[in-house]
């Protein structure tokens, strides 16, 4: 007010430029221990960098200067070189590894490349003008596998070919600028939060720059049109990131903090899919039960299920699935929604990771054997026909024989329909990786085989309950091992194979009598 006279200007509009946005701050008035904890949390959340390197060094070998193709600007019909210089990108290849979130991200990346930049999928990936490796860092040796996969494409860059080489996903976020130093042929390191900005970042790449985009950011609603990998079922992200910081998990560091999408935008995506003829959607989130707690007004996942179930028109999308729940936050209201809403499928994915309470505490999971079983008991009471699926890790640091036995005890009590089994592997930037009580590879392998055998036994028991029953099956694909058969799933997500013409049945719900049970699938006959 000393410099500017605002008197009489209260009702005027002003155009302001936002130079920065403070999304986190530390209250200096809090006590020392609280302030220290907030500083550590903020430092973790703010890992990452955004950087453009304009002066690139010549590559080893032939001493070539890296060349990237040019891109057709959105809205242009001219497929020839717009400025008369350089090679125009026309084809792309995306190699995807990891979870459903990565698959959904790859669909969005393809949407930018096809819809905005007018590229088409390459018939020969080795000749693509744009190559994206959408990576996963969950499993052991993930980084080395990425570096190995980059080798042939890096060789193309060294030969002077106009190629845009991109590493996206969790390894990109984890490695950041170090990836450029290890593989200088790489043009763009793209963190998961920057998927929707691919087109803008490729503009920098086309100018000969290297780009790192891994700095944590607030996610805006993505207006890109994903290129779906399937025409019956589709993935929909509803919450990105995770705030849990389990001691073995890289997800908070590579996917960022939790950011929920507004319910209205999720419904809009569902309605667009319904109009396009899709019959099933799967809602995605690393911790889907945390949905909405960062929104204003505050929402929860059960609210979203009711909202979608009521708003999606009958006769369009028939089935709503979701992954993944967290036992610490799981709500009775979600059980009620699954048990009562006609479009929400009767399938619960509830990772337990271990049956040993000490192991769970060391993992920082926030529940016990008994509290997990209370959830299972409620599910079986309210939705007795539902399937229950889970994840388990064996060989976590310090896991004793007695604690491993508790894992087997939990499996025997639940009898999972499907169980994803993993041997613990130390991951970068996680607490458990630094502990000195690591379990030997031999013990981990032995325990993994034990849980896999028991899981298969339980899977067979759960499959046998369907034999002799007639159930509705949504047909999705042809059986790749028998071209005369089609494949669909029950509402509980059990795969079913039966004779049929895929061209006639795809996307239709068919009544099928189950005649044979297998551990992870069923065989049926049309009624």
């Amino acid at each position: 007010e000393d410099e500017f006279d605002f008197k009489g200007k209260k009702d005027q509009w002003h155009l302001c430029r936002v130079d920065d946005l403070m999304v986190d701050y530390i209250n200096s008035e809090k006590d020392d221990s609280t302030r220290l904890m907030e500083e550590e949390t903020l430092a973790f959340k703010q890992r990452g960098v955004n950087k453009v390197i304009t002066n690139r060094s010549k590559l080893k070998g032939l001493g070539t200067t890296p060349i990237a193709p040019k891109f057709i600007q959105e809205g242009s019909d001219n497929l020839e070189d717009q400025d008369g210089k350089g090679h125009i990108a026309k084809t792309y290849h995306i190699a995807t590894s990891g979870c459903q979130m990565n698959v959904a991200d790859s669909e969005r990346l393809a949407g930018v490349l096809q819809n905005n930049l007018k590229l088409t999928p390459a018939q020969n990936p080795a000749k693509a003008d744009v190559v994206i490796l959408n990576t996963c860092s969950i499993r052991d040796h993930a980084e080395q596998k990425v570096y190995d996969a980059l080798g042939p494409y890096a060789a193309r860059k060294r030969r002077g070919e106009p190629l845009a080489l991109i590493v996206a996903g969790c390894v990109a976020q984890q490695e950041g600028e170090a990836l450029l130093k290890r593989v200088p042929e790489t043009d763009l390191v793209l963190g998961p939060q920057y998927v929707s900005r691919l087109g803008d970042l490729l503009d920098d790449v086309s100018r000969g720059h290297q780009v790192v985009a891994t700095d944590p950011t607030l996610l805006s609603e993505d207006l890109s049109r994903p290129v779906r990998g399937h025409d019956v079922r589709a993935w929909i992200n509803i919450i990105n990131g995770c705030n849990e910081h389990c001691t073995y998990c890289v997800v908070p560091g590579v996917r960022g903090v939790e950011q929920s999408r507004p319910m209205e935008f999720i419904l809009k995506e569902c309605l667009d899919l319904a109009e396009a003829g899709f019959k099933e959607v799967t809602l995605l989130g690393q911790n889907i039960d945390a949905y909405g707690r960062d929104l204003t007004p505050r929402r929860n996942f059960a609210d979203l299920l009711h909202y979608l179930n009521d708003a999606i028109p009958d006769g369009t999308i028939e089935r709503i699935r979701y992954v993944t729940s967290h036992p610490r936050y799981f709500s009775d209201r979600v059980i009620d929604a699954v048990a009562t809403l006609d479009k929400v499928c009767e399938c619960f994915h509830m990772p337990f990771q271990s049956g040993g309470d000490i192991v769970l505490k060391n993992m920082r999971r926030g529940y016990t054997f008994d509290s997990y079983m209370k959830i299972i008991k409620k599910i079986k009471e309210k939705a007795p026909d539902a399937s229950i699926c889970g994840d388990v890790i064996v060989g976590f640091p310090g896991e004793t024989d007695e604690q491993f036995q508790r894992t087997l005890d939990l499996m025997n009590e639940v009898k999972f329909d499907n169980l994803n089994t993993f041997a613990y592997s130390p991951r970068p930037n996680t607490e458990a990786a630094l502990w000195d009580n690591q379990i030997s590879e031999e013990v981990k392998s032995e325990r993994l085989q034990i849980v896999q055998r028991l899981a298969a036994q339980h899977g067979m028991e759960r499959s046998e309950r369907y034999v002799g029953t007639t159930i509705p099956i949504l047909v999705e694909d042809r059986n790749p091992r028998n071209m005369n058969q089609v494949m669909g799933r029950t509402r509980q997500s059990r795969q079913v194979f039966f004779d049929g013409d895929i061209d006639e049945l795809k996307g239709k719900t068919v009544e099928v009598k189950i005649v044979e049970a297998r551990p992870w699938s069923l065989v049926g006959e049309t009624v």
Side-chain angles (χ1 to χ4, degrees), residues 287-290 301 305 322 324-336 338 347-350 372 374-376 378-379:
N287 179 8
I288 208 160
D289 296 294
F301 183 51
L305 290 177
Y322 67 89
T324 300
S325 292
H326 193 303
R328 179 192 290 184
Y329 301 103
F330 194 71
S331 162
D332 288 358
R333 289 193 61 209
V334 173
I335 301 177
D336 293 335
V338 173
C347 181
F348 295 89
H349 185 200
M350 187 75 60
Y372 183 90
K374 286 180 181 178
I375 296 172
I376 300 301
K378 290 178 181 177
I379 290 174

Side-chain angles (χ1 to χ4, degrees), residues 191-206:
Q193 296 180 341
Y194 290 85
V195 167
S196 63
R197 304 186 189 182
L198 175 64
D200 295 332
L201 297 172
L202 282 177
D203 184 56
D204 276 312
V205 169
S206 70

Side-chain angles (χ1 to χ4, degrees), residues 25-160:
Y25 71 95
I26 298 170
N27 189 340
S28 60
E29 296 180 357
K30 294 184 178 181
D31 62 81
D32 291 343
S33 61
T34 302
R35 191 167 64 251
L36 178 62
M37 182 178 67
E38 289 186 353
E39 288 174 352
E40 291 176 348
T41 302
L42 183 58
F44 183 89
K45 290 163 62 177
Q46 291 182 339
R47 291 185 302 173
V49 64
N50 286 355
K51 187 173 185 179
V52 177
I53 301 171
T54 57
N55 295 318
R56 297 184 66 170
S57 301
K58 291 184 177 181
L59 300 174
K60 293 181 179 180
L62 299 177
T64 55
T65 300
I67 302 173
K70 305 292 184 181
F71 295 91
I72 297 295
Q73 299 299 316
E74 186 174 8
S76 172
D77 293 324
N78 180 16
L79 296 181
E80 299 302 321
D81 189 347
Q82 291 179 330
D83 59 9
K85 299 178 181 179
H87 173 76
I88 291 293
K90 295 180 181 179
T91 62
Y92 74 90
H93 171 64
I94 301 176
T96 307
S97 60
C99 67
Q100 299 98 325
M101 296 287 284
N102 265 21
V103 175
D105 284 348
S106 288
E107 292 179 347
R108 294 163 59 209
L109 290 167
V112 173
L113 294 173
Q114 288 191 208
N115 298 321
N116 297 6
L117 301 179
K118 300 188 176 181
L119 274 63
T120 58
Q123 296 297 316
N124 182 359
K127 299 294 184 181
D129 299 314
V130 177
V131 173
I132 301 178
L133 304 184
N134 193 9
T135 61
C136 172
S137 60
I138 293 295
R139 303 303 296 272
D140 198 13
H141 306 305
E143 304 82 12
Q144 188 56 50
K145 290 177 182 177
V146 172
Y147 292 129
D148 291 344
L150 284 170
Y153 303 111
R156 288 180 58 193
K157 295 283 285 189
R158 291 193 296 273
R159 291 196 295 267

Side-chain angles (χ1 to χ4, degrees), residues 137-339:
S137 60
I138 293 295
R139 303 303 296 272
D140 198 13
H141 306 305
E143 304 82 12
Q144 188 56 50
K145 290 177 182 177
V146 172
Y147 292 129
D148 291 344
L150 284 170
Y153 303 111
R156 288 180 58 193
K157 295 283 285 189
R158 291 193 296 273
R159 291 196 295 267
E161 294 185 34
L163 164 68
L165 183 54
I166 302 161
V167 179
C170 296
V171 172
Q173 183 70 36
Q174 173 185 293
E175 298 293 289
E177 192 173 359
L179 201 152
L180 296 185
K181 297 177 181 178
R182 178 79 176 267
V183 186
E185 294 85 357
T186 304
D187 296 297
L188 170 59
V189 178
L190 184 75
Q193 296 180 341
Y194 290 85
V195 167
S196 63
R197 304 186 189 182
L198 175 64
D200 295 332
L201 297 172
L202 282 177
D203 184 56
D204 276 312
V205 169
S206 70
R207 301 172 190 272
H209 303 159
Q210 277 181 310
V211 183
V212 181
T214 59
D215 193 32
T217 183
L218 285 177
L219 297 177
S220 58
E221 183 58 23
D222 186 359
L223 300 180
S224 65
R225 294 160 288 165
V227 175
R228 305 288 180 178
H230 204 274
D231 50 8
V232 175
R233 48 182 167 79
W235 313 106
I236 298 180
N237 288 347
I238 71 164
I239 179 172
N240 296 279
C242 181
N243 292 355
E244 290 311 296
H245 304 300
C246 298
T247 58
Y248 58 85
C249 186
V250 299
V251 168
V254 296
R255 285 278 174 179
V257 298
E258 292 166 358
Q259 297 186 58
S260 302
R261 294 177 65 195
M263 293 169 60
E264 296 77 12
F265 288 124
I266 297 170
L267 175 61
K268 173 65 166 56
E269 187 168 353
C270 287
L271 295 178
D272 289 344
L273 290 167
E275 186 176 351
F278 285 80
K279 297 299 182 181
E280 177 181 300
V281 297
T282 301
L283 310 178
L284 299 179
Q286 265 85 21
N287 179 8
I288 208 160
D289 296 294
Y291 174 80
R293 63 183 180 181
D294 59 319
L295 295 177
T296 303
R298 190 182 178 98
R299 307 285 191 180
N300 60 54
F301 183 51
D303 292 336
L304 177 65
L305 290 177
H306 281 276
Y307 178 69
L308 297 179
N309 194 84
D310 294 342
I312 294 174
D314 292 337
T316 59
I317 291 174
E318 301 174 7
R319 298 181 176 184
I320 300 173
R321 303 186 187 275
Y322 67 89
V323 288
T324 300
S325 292
H326 193 303
R328 179 192 290 184
Y329 301 103
F330 194 71
S331 162
D332 288 358
R333 289 193 61 209
V334 173
I335 301 177
D336 293 335
V338 173

